[in-house]
Amino acid sequence: MTMKAVIYSRTSSSGYQQNRQDTTRQVEDLKAYAEYSKYNVVKIYEEHLSGGKRNEERPLLLEALNYCKANKVEMLLCSELSRLGRNAFEVLSFVRELKDNGINLYLQKEQFSLFGADGKPSLFSAIMIATLSTCAELERENIKYRLDSGRAQYIKNGGRLGRKVGSVKTKGQKETQYKEVLAYLKKGYSISITAKLSETSMSTVQRLKKEFGL
């Protein structure tokens, strides 16, 4: 019997949405792995959120988990541990729920499976997950520090953040730049939730909701 699998991919939401990474590469690599391993991919989730978000603020991650539990999916495929988050406690909590529900986790970058060939958690899986997730959290903090330091230095030297004075975006440009915001609004999410999930100001979300009639 072919094992059922779900793919979960995530890229960070930096605030500069037009430059956001695409999830295509993650999905294609995992689909290739699933085909090689003869897994039946029954669902694919692609999320665009910061890895620092708490689990309850990541609707597609929770949806992927609930789908696996409800449909007896045996395997969750992910490109690397940091895609599940960069907060060590959140990642450990998520992995523990997978384990408790008998759902295996495969991390492509780390070449790691939560369960061994015997279908049981390997002896060192908990230690490895804890170590990797802590490293991911430290990496996130280092990146944030460097970005904040760079911005502060830029402003100190007379630089200005934000859009150039007088520049006006077309509606098409807004649809591209705020694709995620518009997608959440179309799904019926409130302005405040949409703003939090997309890391966009509430005033911008409110303006887009009105402009696009959502």
Side-chain angles (χ1 to χ4, degrees), residues 67-136:
Y67 182 89
C68 288
K69 291 194 290 187
N71 294 277
K72 295 183 174 14
V73 174
E74 297 97 331
M75 177 76 76
L76 179 66
L77 306 175
C78 194
S79 64
E80 59 183 280
L81 186 67
S82 65
R83 299 305 93 194
L84 298 178
R86 295 183 188 271
N87 178 294
F89 290 108
E90 290 286 310
V91 172
L92 287 171
S93 174
F94 182 81
V95 173
R96 184 169 61 248
E97 189 158 3
L98 288 176
K99 180 176 72 67
D100 291 346
N101 285 276
I103 302 166
N104 199 356
L105 170 68
Y106 173 74
L107 304 173
Q108 192 166 39
K109 179 182 176 181
E110 291 87 356
Q111 294 289 294
F112 170 84
S113 287
L114 181 61
F115 296 162
D118 59 358
K120 298 178 181 179
S122 57
L123 278 174
F124 300 104
S125 60
I127 296 172
M128 185 173 177
I129 288 289
T131 302
L132 290 172
S133 56
T134 300
C135 289

